[in-house]
Amino acid sequence: MKLLEDKVALITGASRGIGQAIALAFAKQGAKLVLSASSIDNLAQTATMIQGAGCPAPVLTQANVSVADEVAQVVKKALDTFGKADILVNNAGITRDNLLAIMPEKDWDEVLSINLKSAFLFTKACSRPMIKQRSGSIINMTSVIGLTGNAGQANYAASKAGLIGLTKSAAKELAKRNIRVNAVAPGFIKTRMTENLTAEQQSKIQEQVALGRLGVPEDIANAALFLASDGSSYITGQVLVVDGGLVI
Ligand code: NAP
């Protein structure tokens, strides 16, 4: 029996990196997928990987995750196609790093909208069908930076800390309807988001990681799979740190 047999999963930011790895891991475990990115073309590679693994074609949707009407269309597409929504992964995210004193207001707003408001919009839209079906698992992609803060990332850290508050509040609110809400907090994972780090920065980070290596998207996908599956059915409101021991 596959871990997510017959479950319907919505995954945002599924075009590459961590979201792509989660989509592939969920597909291999039998989930029916509704994937989103800011353009459908960007999702082609993920769809090819999933079908190449012998899994059914995912439903591809376009949405700017910070725009309520576009989010509603993604959730509607899932319900129209599959009649339910069992799992939601709020993964889409961006960085706009700068020192606080010179950070443009628009960079603050954009990061907060795409990283945090998006999760509110998707959780709100998915909670209605999940409440009706009296089950669901919602996973928010936060970051160790949301726990520790980081110079040059005040906007990103605030958005990720905000996601933790949203996770805990939604967990308390939705638990009575058997909907679990958890967060995954990755450390440094090799994706496009971190590819601009210099070799020197990378080796400095690596020195601080107890397990001595940067993470790969599959490390995060495994954690998301656990939180999505019934194996975590007594876990809600938690932040699962997946950082190789960076923050201990
Ligand atoms: P990534 O490779 O840059 O991928 C980001 C994803 O978000 C892409 O699929 C992108 O889709 C989507 N996205 C960005 N803005 C969007 C928007 N306005 N509307 C819809 N989709 C949008 O990043 P990643 O490293 O995989 O990160 C995934 C998540 O993990 C993020 O929330 C990030 O903050 C978090 N995280 C990453 C790390 C790390 O070290 N990599 C560490 C901690 C937390 P498009 O194709 O549309 O651009």
Side-chain angles (χ1 to χ4, degrees), residues 13-19 37-39 42 63-65 91-94 114 141-143 156 160 186-189 191-194:
S15 60
R16 58 177 186 267
I18 291 170
S38 57
S39 116
N42 294 357
N64 180 337
V65 288
N91 168 75
I94 59 166
I114 292 172
M141 201 54 64
T142 178
S143 166
Y156 185 76
K160 295 302 186 181
F188 282 87
I189 310 299
T191 67
R192 195 189 294 179
M193 188 174 274
T194 49

Side-chain angles (χ1 to χ4, degrees), residues 204-220:
K204 257 194 186 159
I205 291 163
Q206 205 159 313
E207 276 168 26
Q208 294 164 30
V209 177
L211 290 175
R213 66 167 176 90
L214 299 188
V216 291
E218 291 70 26
D219 292 320
I220 307 306

Side-chain angles (χ1 to χ4, degrees), residues 12-22 36-43 46 62-67 70 90-96 110 113-115 118 122 140-145 156 159-160 163 184-195 197 215 217 220 242:
T12 70
S15 60
R16 58 177 186 267
I18 291 170
Q20 183 176 70
I22 293 173
S36 100
S38 57
S39 116
I40 285 194
D41 290 348
N42 294 357
L43 290 162
T46 307
Q62 172 279 325
N64 180 337
V65 288
S66 62
V67 178
E70 297 186 22
N90 287 311
N91 168 75
I94 59 166
T95 52
R96 294 283 182 272
E110 202 179 350
S113 288
I114 292 172
N115 294 8
S118 60
F122 265 100
N140 293 323
M141 201 54 64
T142 178
S143 166
V144 289
I145 300 302
Y156 185 76
S159 73
K160 295 302 186 181
L163 273 177
V184 176
F188 282 87
I189 310 299
K190 285 185 201 163
T191 67
R192 195 189 294 179
M193 188 174 274
T194 49
E195 73 185 3
L197 290 173
I220 307 306
V242 185

